[in-house]
């Protein structure tokens, strides 16, 4: 019966094409409006179509086989026995998912899962006798599916398949998540508005710094002096203060303080906790470095504390390198000195 049903390869190709194309026509126009934003949805939809139509084809042939078993079942038909880890590595799917598929195949009587004779800690998974019998019946169906998909790809000049491989390789090199985060960080960086010092913003300079100082340390005498009179201690001696504004609110600040005979200090960088993670610190730092360059500075330095891990990472990202403090620090909390040569 099975041999007769599949004797005409053209029939199965026609069936597969008609089922696939019929379902493709039902994709909502709304997805067209979404464009590439719906890429994941469309890929899943096409995958579901192929999987669902595959189930119908197996049913028509009188074969009980779930299409999601295919990669493991096919691998075991050519490489056997294998352990779960080996299957996971060869196919590129997660270890837990391999275990799930193997259990399903085992319940269907298509594989055996026994203790490895050479290592009791490992399992040996291979096709069972029934699995080998099924392989003979199902291989012609796979050949027909292969031919049909080749026809579909040929219509697109094989660009679809090659593009999918390129996309998968790109995500292997750098995850989709990381790529989106990079794009998001760049957007947030562009949205932050940097403002020069204005006496009306004086209080923000103080409150933003007091916020983080009281959270991690204590406010020291030098902090009180500089934060209370920023114009006298920073602006007039030749330094600068900038502020970050997001959606009309001042959320960050940073200063460039001149040190006679040495260079300029990047100091009093503060970003309110609710606005952290928006690349504000980076943009403030870049602005301060840019101002230092306009002042013909040869060196910008800073002092900080190692417990401020995100801040230290930011400074390194801006190009600062750890060094030995050339003097006794004015800050009790300081335990790291970094500098940037311009």
């Amino acid at each position: 019966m099975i041999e007769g049903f599949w004797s005409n390869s053209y029939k199965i190709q026609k069936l597969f094409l008609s089922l696939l194309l019929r379902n493709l026509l039902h994709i909502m126009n709304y997805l067209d409006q979404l464009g590439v934003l719906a890429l994941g949805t469309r890929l899943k939809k096409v995958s579901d179509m192929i999987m669902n139509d595959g189930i119908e084809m197996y049913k028509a042939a009188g074969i009980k086989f779930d299409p999601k078993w295919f990669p493991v079942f096919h691998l075991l038909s050519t490489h056997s026995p294998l352990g779960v880890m080996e299957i996971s590595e060869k196919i590129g799917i997660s270890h837990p998912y391999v275990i799930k598929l193997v259990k399903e195949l085992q319940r269907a009587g298509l594989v055996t899962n026994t203790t490895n004779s050479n290592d009791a800690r490992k399992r040996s998974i291979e096709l069972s006798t029934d699995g080998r019998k099924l392989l003979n019946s199902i291989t012609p169906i796979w050949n027909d599916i292969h031919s049909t998909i080749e026809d579909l790809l040929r219509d697109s000049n094989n660009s679809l398949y090659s593009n999918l491989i390129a996309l998968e390789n790109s995500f292997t090199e750098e995850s989709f998540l990381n790529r989106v985060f990079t794009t998001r960080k760049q957007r947030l960086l562009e949205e932050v508005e940097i403002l020069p010092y204005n006496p009306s913003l004086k209080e923000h300079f103080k409150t933003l710094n007091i916020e983080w100082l009281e959270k991690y340390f204590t406010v020291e005498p030098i902090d009180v002096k500089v934060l209370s009179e920023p114009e006298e201690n920073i602006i007039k001696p030749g330094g600068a203060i900038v502020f970050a504004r997001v959606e009309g609110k001042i959320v960050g600040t940073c200063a460039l303080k001149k040190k006679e005979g040495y260079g300029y200090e990047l100091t009093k960088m503060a970003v309110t906790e609710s606005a952290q993670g928006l690349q504000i610190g980076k943009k403030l730092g870049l602005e301060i470095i840019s101002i230092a360059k306009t002042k013909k500075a040869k060196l910008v330095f800073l002092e900080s504390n190692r417990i401020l891990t995100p801040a230290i990472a930011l400074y390194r990202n801006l190009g600062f390198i750890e060094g030995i403090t050339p003097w006794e620090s004015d800050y009790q909390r300081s335990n790291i000195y970094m500098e940037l040569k311009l």
Side-chain angles (χ1 to χ4, degrees):
M1 173 185 172
I2 293 175
E3 289 77 6
F5 183 89
W6 298 107
S7 60
N8 191 336
S9 177
Y10 174 75
K11 287 183 178 180
I12 180 58
Q13 292 184 37
K14 186 176 180 180
L15 171 65
F16 185 79
L17 277 171
S18 63
L19 288 170
L20 184 59
L21 292 176
R22 181 198 66 199
N23 285 317
L24 282 171
L25 292 175
H26 287 87
I27 295 179
M28 295 182 297
N29 290 333
Y30 183 67
L31 294 184
D32 293 331
Q33 298 173 27
L34 290 177
V36 296
L37 194 60
L39 176 62
T41 300
R42 301 193 89 125
L43 288 174
K44 184 179 185 304
K45 196 170 187 69
V46 172
S47 175
D48 289 344
M49 290 176 183
I50 294 175
M51 288 293 189
N52 292 334
D53 289 349
I55 292 174
E56 294 301 318
M57 285 185 292
Y58 291 134
K59 284 182 179 179
I63 294 175
K64 293 181 179 180
F65 189 83
D66 192 324
K68 71 173 180 285
W69 297 343
F70 171 76
V72 173
F73 186 84
H74 191 280
L75 176 64
L76 292 174
S77 72
T78 56
H79 300 75
S80 192
L82 292 173
V84 170
M85 190 62 70
E86 293 171 303
I87 296 174
S88 176
E89 291 174 352
K90 288 181 180 293
I91 299 178
I93 58 180
S94 70
H95 187 272
Y97 191 57
V98 170
I99 294 175
K100 179 179 181 295
L101 293 179
V102 168
K103 286 182 177 179
E104 290 182 9
L105 285 164
Q106 194 174 2
R107 284 195 294 268
L110 301 178
V111 303
T112 59
N113 186 359
T114 58
T115 302
N116 190 303
S117 58
N118 297 321
D119 189 342
R121 297 170 299 178
K122 296 182 179 181
R123 310 290 294 179
S124 291
I125 305 164
E126 56 187 321
L127 295 187
S128 64
T129 301
D130 287 343
R132 290 288 174 186
K133 290 179 180 178
L134 176 64
L135 180 63
N136 294 329
S137 300
I138 207 170
T139 297
I141 303 176
W142 290 345
N143 292 337
D144 289 332
I145 292 174
H146 183 272
S147 298
T148 303
I149 292 178
E150 279 194 330
D151 288 340
L152 288 169
L153 295 177
R154 194 176 296 114
D155 291 340
S156 66
N157 296 319
N158 288 319
S159 60
L160 173 63
Y161 190 62
S162 59
N163 287 338
L164 283 174
I165 292 176
L167 185 64
E168 185 178 355
N169 290 337
S170 295
F171 290 160
T172 300
E173 294 171 4
E174 183 180 3
S175 72
F176 179 62
L177 179 65
N178 285 343
R179 291 173 185 271
V180 174
F181 277 165
T182 299
T183 302
R184 179 177 181 273
K185 286 180 179 180
Q186 184 58 40
R187 174 179 61 78
L188 293 173
L189 191 63
E190 293 171 357
E191 290 179 356
V192 177
E193 185 181 3
I194 300 299
L195 306 175
Y197 179 80
N198 184 295
S200 64
L201 301 176
K202 175 181 175 180
E203 194 60 28
H204 291 291
F205 183 64
K206 184 176 183 178
T207 56
L208 285 167
N209 275 283
I210 293 295
E211 178 184 324
W212 76 267
L213 284 170
E214 290 184 340
K215 179 178 179 179
Y216 293 101
F217 309 102
T218 58
V219 180
E220 300 179 29
I222 188 172
D223 296 317
V224 176
K225 177 183 178 181
V226 174
L227 294 176
S228 298
E229 298 295 336
E231 293 179 30
E232 292 295 326
N233 292 283
I234 297 178
I235 304 296
K236 289 183 179 179
I241 298 174
V242 294
F243 296 89
R245 183 168 65 185
V246 176
E247 297 180 344
K249 297 180 180 180
I250 301 298
V251 296
T253 187
C254 191
L256 183 69
K257 185 180 179 183
K258 187 175 182 180
K259 187 174 181 65
E260 288 295 339
Y262 193 78
Y264 286 84
E265 179 185 7
L266 185 156
T267 184
K268 298 297 180 284
M269 178 183 283
V271 177
T272 189
E273 191 169 0
S274 62
Q276 290 176 9
L278 301 181
Q279 296 287 285
I280 294 171
K282 182 176 182 180
K283 195 155 188 176
L284 286 168
L286 289 172
E287 182 66 17
I288 286 296
I289 292 171
S290 177
I291 293 173
K293 289 179 180 179
T294 64
K295 294 178 178 295
K296 309 298 182 183
K298 301 297 182 182
L299 177 75
V300 178
F301 68 92
L302 62 86
E303 294 181 69
S304 188
N305 189 288
R306 296 181 188 278
I307 70 168
L308 303 175
T309 306
I312 302 301
L314 169 61
Y315 300 144
R316 289 199 171 100
N317 183 262
L318 290 171
F320 285 84
I321 299 174
E322 184 176 349
I324 300 174
T325 310
W327 50 73
E328 184 177 348
S329 178
D330 293 327
Y331 303 97
Q332 293 182 16
R333 62 179 175 272
S334 176
N335 63 11
I336 182 172
Y337 168 89
M338 306 179 79
E339 59 183 33
L340 171 67
K341 294 181 179 179
L342 303 177

